[in-house]
Structures are given as structure tokens and as C-alpha cells.
Amino acid sequence: MFRSLRRALCTAAAALLIPLGVGAGLAAPTAAHAADATTAAAGAGYWHTSGRQILDAAGNPVRIAGINWFGFETGNHVAHGLWSRDYKSMIDQMKSLGYNTIRLPYSDDIFKAGTTADSINFNGMNTDLQGLTPLQIMDKIVAYAGHDGLKVILDRHRPDSGGQSALWYTSAVPESTWIADLKALATRYKGQDTVIGIDLHNEPHDPACWGCGDQSTDWRLAAERAGNAVLSVNPDLLIFVEGIQTFNGVSGWWGGNLMGAGQYPVRLDVADRLVYSAHDYATSVAQQSWFSDPSFPANMPGIWDKYWGYLFKQNIAPVWVGEFGTTLQSTVDQKWLSALVSYLRPTSTYGADSFQWTFWSWNPDSGDTGGILKDDWQTVDTVKDGYLASIKAPGFPAGGGDNGGGGDGGSGSTPACTAAYTVTNDWGTGFNAQVTVTNTGTTAIKSWKVTWTWSGSQKITNMWNATYTQTGSTVTAANADHNGSVPAGGSTSFGFGGAPGGGSAPSVSCTAS
């Protein structure tokens, strides 16, 4: 995106779920590429590429279907929204909505001694982040994402928190610092397959070139230097390389022009690690000539083919649309998003033989796009989320700090659980709460329900990581599809918003089967 236009502004968005049709766009996949029951189990271990697909350690195709959660690249030096929410509840909500990957932007400022993370609420939330450096907080976010079965792509977004740079270096942050910091991150997360790769630099643009041969401006050559440096310390990582702005006089979005990659491919020392990345936006970010074409939106597949889609269609390499977003306030933008979703290929038809993607953004405080969350950092913009439903994909096996799946336990043992209810934020007219379910039996449980009765007039306004019914003041919450199974001694959690204020915590009961 034109980063000079992206400002931390609070914006409001509508919330009505609308049906969305999907178009074929490309030839039908072979049976081996179609969605099937094995897809849900895919994603374990480190990933590699084969032609236009990304494969897991066992060779199963996977699809990145994720979300951008920004903030580490700003003056806060930490993911935004932690002033309102606990980071774990935020990640749980991402998972409950069907996002399987987090793109986490950062700037090189987080490596500087003395840099602190600002605007974190430690009052009943984020307590395990207190006193930590930005990098240590990133460790926590990565670990919990892995625990939830989400993957993470680290995005070197800016040299410093002051703003986006055209090139991968500035006078204050030379190329040597860029590469040293990339290697430090690659080393830091070596052996943690939650982090599947690094996006080397966000949105190179004019005067960045591709294939021109000038060491100071040729982004393709710089990506090779940095990518090979990363792979020299962690050869398991994927290397994500964005496009530029202008190639052979043809301009597009910052980072969105990969026209030169076919003629001048990025060459890495480790085979099958390269993923090309494009960014694409709508009129809420900036106008482009194709939006006013009389044939719009039918002209858009040809535009995408020219700039980056050909790499996928010609089986050259996987293509990840690392950013795309809009406020959705104009009809043009609505048509654009509908067309792009169809172009990216519905998962139900094509499975993982599809374009990869992470939507911009989770945050509501992106001024020219807004986010999946509304301004309260809690409520989901179901319009935007609804547009993405057809291209979401299954999550991945839990990794990192996860305790594992557990066995069947002794035959004849009785499933048992307890639940702990905690109000995490109460502002009088509303509140947030989290409930932790713990398996206290000796065998894994397959499903659970939690019930409580409020003494006041509280009503659930929204819930994540569980489904619920409310009759009067009595609420029954049941596990979601992804978190019903809990190993002996293990735990899972769900959260919700309610109104009015939370009051005292009620007694809760838990049943398991």
C-alpha cells in the first residue's frame, strides 16, 4: 500500500453478512489438488515449495489464509490493540474466525537496545508481557500462535518506525543492518516451525528496479543477498519476496509489480524456498487507471495476470498476496474485492492449489482500509469477514509450546473438566471475559460445555472460540470444532463480550464427553 496514506486512524465500518458468489476463473484442478479430508491435517513441520504450491514437511499442499496484525513497526514497537485486549484472546479470535496465519510487521527499531513496547494494558490482561522487550513479546505471540495452530510470517516492514522506505536501506539503517537483523530473527526462531518464513522488505517502490543490475537499486539482487543470508543460518525458512512499483515503464501498486520476475527470477542457494509476494488495493487507498475502465471489474483478472498472477498460472512459483484491503465504502471497492476473492480461487473447489493470502488488516486503526475488527477491538466486521469466507482454509497442527495431543487414557475412565471464569476488562457499560476449560480427568475429552447464571441483566454480545445459547440469565457455551478435544491435564479457553458491566464472576460448571 502507499504507506504515506496509511495512518493510525479509527474508522467505523458496517456489519451485515452478505452472500458472496465465487467464480471459477481458472481451469479445474486435478483430483490430487482438490480439497479433501487430508487437507485439515496438513501443515506440520517446516514448509517448502514445488512449482506453484507450498508443501508441508510431509509433502501435503497447504494454503496460507491469514491476517496482518500490525504494530511492531510503529512507535509502539508492539502489536496494536493490546491496550484493549489480551494478546491470547486476540489470537484465539483470529483462529475462531478461520484465519490460519499471522503476518507480523516489524521495523529494525525493535533490535535497538533500550527500545520499549508502549500502550499495553496490564490490568487483568497481558500480565505475562510486563517488563519484556519488543522481541520478547514477539516470542510470546509466536509461541501462543503456534499453540493455537497458526503459522507466523515475519515482515520486515520498515527500516525504522518513522515511515515506509522506497528501498530496503536508508542512511540511518544500511543494508548491513537490514541483513544482520534478518539473520538474527532467523536464528532466534530456528527450530520453531511456527515461524515458516520472512518477508524480506515491505513494498519496494521507485527508484527500486528489478533486473537492472544496479546494486544500489536492483531489488531482485538485494533479495538474493538477504534471502541467502537468512538461509545460511536457518535453511528451513521460506523466503517471501515482494514486487516493486515500476518495471519497463509500467507502474502499479508499491510491492505489487512482479512483471520482471519471469525474466529475472530470484536465485536462492537453497532450492524450493522462494515465494513471490504481491500487494493489491482498492480505491480507498488510491485510484488506479483500471478502476475507471469501462469493463471494470471484468478487466481485473487480466491486470492481476500481468502483474503477478502469471507466476502462479505458469507454475513458476507460489504467489502470496501479502496485503489487500479496503474500507468497502464504495461500490467500486466492493466489486474489486469480490473479483479478487474469486481470482484467488475458492478453497472448496481448488483446495491448496490456490493463491496464498493475508488480508490487511486485523487492526481497525488502518486509516485507509479499516480492519476485520471494529473500533472497539472486539466486534467483527462481518461484511469484510464474509467476503473472505470462500478462500479461508484449515488451520494447522499445534506446535511450539503446545503440550501435544495426549492419548486415549485408560478405558472406562470418566471424562471430567473444570472451568475458570475471569473478567478481563470492565468499562461499566460493557465487559470482556475469558473462560479457561481444564481437563481434570485421566483421558482426553472430545467435547465440553460450560454453564453459568448471572445475578444481573448481562447479555452476551459476541463470543469467540465457542458457541453459546442464552436463556434469561443462564448461558451455556459449547466448544468450537477446533478446540473440543483436550488432552488429560490440558486446557483451552474461549472469550466473549457482554453488556452491561460484568459484575462479580458467577459460579460455573463444566461437563465433558
Side-chain angles (χ1 to χ4, degrees):
M1 168 185 294
F2 294 132
R3 206 51 90 233
S4 60
L5 296 178
R6 181 175 289 157
R7 307 186 190 281
L9 303 174
C10 291
T11 57
L16 294 172
L17 182 61
I18 61 173
L20 180 65
V22 295
L26 297 175
T30 64
H33 289 151
D36 56 36
T38 65
T39 305
Y46 281 106
W47 298 354
H48 60 282
T49 68
S50 178
R52 69 190 189 181
Q53 290 193 309
I54 298 176
L55 308 179
D56 69 7
N60 300 307
V62 293
R63 184 177 204 185
I64 296 168
I67 197 78
N68 283 270
W69 186 13
F70 68 81
F72 277 100
E73 84 285 13
T74 72
N76 298 110
H77 306 118
V78 71
H80 281 182
L82 301 189
W83 51 75
S84 295
R85 296 274 301 278
D86 185 86
Y87 75 97
K88 293 180 180 178
S89 74
M90 205 97 76
I91 295 170
D92 286 344
Q93 190 178 19
M94 294 176 193
K95 178 179 179 179
S96 72
L97 291 172
Y99 299 103
N100 65 22
T101 303
I102 302 171
R103 180 175 181 255
L104 208 58
Y106 71 89
S107 85
D108 293 75
D109 281 352
I110 67 173
F111 295 91
K112 295 178 180 178
T115 299
T116 58
D118 301 324
S119 302
I120 303 177
N121 187 344
F122 299 117
N123 183 20
M125 63 183 76
N126 301 306
T127 53
D128 59 335
L129 304 185
Q130 199 153 10
L132 300 186
T133 67
L135 280 170
Q136 290 170 334
I137 293 173
M138 183 179 285
D139 293 343
K140 290 281 191 177
I141 289 174
V142 167
Y144 194 78
H147 179 276
D148 261 7
L150 276 67
K151 296 291 190 179
V152 173
I153 299 170
L154 302 175
D155 157 46
R156 195 281 194 145
H157 211 73
R158 300 170 175 173
D160 58 59
S161 61
Q164 185 62 40
S165 62
L167 300 172
W168 54 96
Y169 62 91
T170 63
S171 57
V173 184
E175 179 174 307
S176 58
T177 299
W178 171 54
I179 290 179
D181 290 344
L182 288 171
K183 291 176 68 176
L185 275 185
T187 302
R188 188 181 191 92
Y189 294 111
K190 185 176 176 64
Q192 298 185 49
D193 58 26
T194 295
V195 176
I196 50 129
I198 299 180
D199 187 344
L200 297 178
H201 178 63
N202 185 68
E203 296 184 349
H205 54 277
D206 297 346
C209 61
W210 192 293
C212 67
D214 185 335
Q215 294 286 325
S216 65
T217 56
D218 192 331
W219 167 235
R220 175 249 197 165
L221 295 179
E224 291 177 351
R225 295 192 293 272
N228 286 326
V230 167
L231 294 172
S232 72
V233 297
N234 190 342
D236 293 316
L237 292 176
L238 294 175
I239 303 299
F240 296 90
V241 179
E242 297 188 27
I244 56 172
Q245 180 183 3
T246 304
F247 179 77
N248 283 350
V250 180
S251 294
W253 296 109
W254 289 3
N257 190 334
L258 284 159
M259 293 172 63
Q263 182 180 358
Y264 303 105
V266 171
R267 302 156 297 185
L268 298 176
D269 294 338
V270 182
D272 303 327
R273 295 294 184 270
L274 173 65
V275 179
Y276 288 112
S277 176
H279 291 184
D280 202 89
Y281 279 100
T283 63
S284 65
V285 174
Q287 285 287 341
Q288 298 280 9
S289 59
W290 44 80
F291 294 128
S292 57
D293 189 299
S295 65
F296 177 84
N299 63 320
M300 292 310 301
I303 296 293
W304 295 319
D305 284 349
K306 179 176 71 172
Y307 281 100
W308 43 268
Y310 75 96
L311 294 164
F312 175 87
K313 290 189 174 182
Q314 295 178 23
N315 202 38
I316 294 172
V319 176
W320 169 52
V321 184
E323 291 184 20
F324 63 107
T326 167
T327 60
L328 275 183
Q329 293 179 354
S330 74
T331 301
V332 169
D333 285 22
Q334 294 161 15
K335 291 179 178 180
W336 165 85
L337 184 55
S338 180
L340 181 56
V341 164
S342 295
Y343 184 84
L344 296 181
R345 303 173 66 129
T347 304
S348 62
T349 304
Y350 298 99
D353 185 32
S354 303
F355 291 94
Q356 320 289 328
W357 60 272
T358 45
F359 188 74
W360 188 279
S361 62
W362 179 249
N363 310 45
D365 57 338
S366 178
D368 40 14
T369 65
I372 291 297
L373 293 185
K374 294 191 176 184
D375 289 346
D376 61 3
W377 283 94
Q378 182 72 55
T379 307
V380 175
D381 186 331
T382 53
V383 174
K384 287 184 181 177
D385 191 57
Y387 270 91
L388 304 173
S390 67
I391 55 173
K392 290 180 181 179
F396 308 114
D402 190 75
N403 292 323
D408 292 334
S411 61
S413 60
T414 302
C417 63
T418 60
Y421 179 114
T422 304
V423 175
T424 57
N425 196 12
D426 192 335
W427 55 93
T429 58
F431 70 102
N432 294 329
Q434 178 172 298
V435 178
T436 300
V437 176
T438 301
N439 181 352
T440 55
T442 59
T443 182
I445 61 177
K446 297 179 179 178
S447 63
W448 47 262
K449 287 185 179 180
V450 176
T451 301
W452 68 87
T453 300
W454 280 309
S455 59
S457 59
Q458 289 89 354
K459 298 287 185 183
I460 299 285
T461 54
N462 64 319
M463 182 176 289
W464 55 96
N465 245 17
T467 60
Y468 75 94
T469 58
Q470 180 169 357
T471 304
S473 57
T474 299
V475 178
T476 298
N479 61 271
D481 289 341
H482 64 266
N483 64 353
S485 178
V486 183
S491 62
T492 188
S493 63
F494 65 94
F496 61 88
S504 58
S507 298
V508 293
S509 62
C510 185
T511 58
S513 60

